[in-house]
Amino acid sequence: MDIHEAMKLAVQDYPNMMVFGVAENNMAWIFGLDFKDADSHPSEVGLPSIAVDKHDGTRHLLTPGTESFWKYRTKDTRPIPVPLAA
């Protein structure tokens, strides 16, 4: 799965949001979302962070302290630039 497909999956349940931050590791693309009409990013505390598994395309909300958070927020996770829309 490429990053553009993963971005589309990440915002699927959040039609009023867009990707404003990206990270990746060997397992997943991780996207920070924010409101499309925000003047600055992040605009609020507690905005969603979504991991999209690179192998099967499943989406996981990364709430701190949850099993998904610890599974997908690994030590090798690194920030990358937000890609332009394909």
Side-chain angles (χ1 to χ4, degrees):
M1 164 171 303
D2 77 9
I3 192 168
H4 294 99
E5 292 174 291
M7 283 177 68
K8 289 176 187 173
L9 289 172
V11 297
Q12 195 171 36
D13 292 334
Y14 302 91
N16 61 336
M17 297 186 129
M18 64 178 199
V19 171
F20 79 95
V22 182
E24 77 164 321
N25 57 44
N26 291 334
M27 291 192 307
W29 302 104
I30 299 171
F31 302 100
L33 305 184
D34 202 348
F35 297 100
K36 290 179 180 178
D37 60 355
D39 292 331
S40 63
H41 303 290
S43 64
E44 295 185 25
V45 174
L47 292 166
S49 182
I50 309 292
V52 178
D53 192 291
K54 288 182 175 179
H55 306 288
D56 63 14
T58 55
R59 294 172 292 152
H60 306 271
L61 181 62
L62 299 183
T63 303
T66 62
E67 185 177 330
S68 290
F69 180 87
W70 295 116
K71 178 179 179 178
Y72 290 104
R73 277 290 192 176
T74 61
K75 291 180 183 178
D76 69 331
T77 300
R78 66 188 189 294
I80 61 171
V82 176
L84 298 175

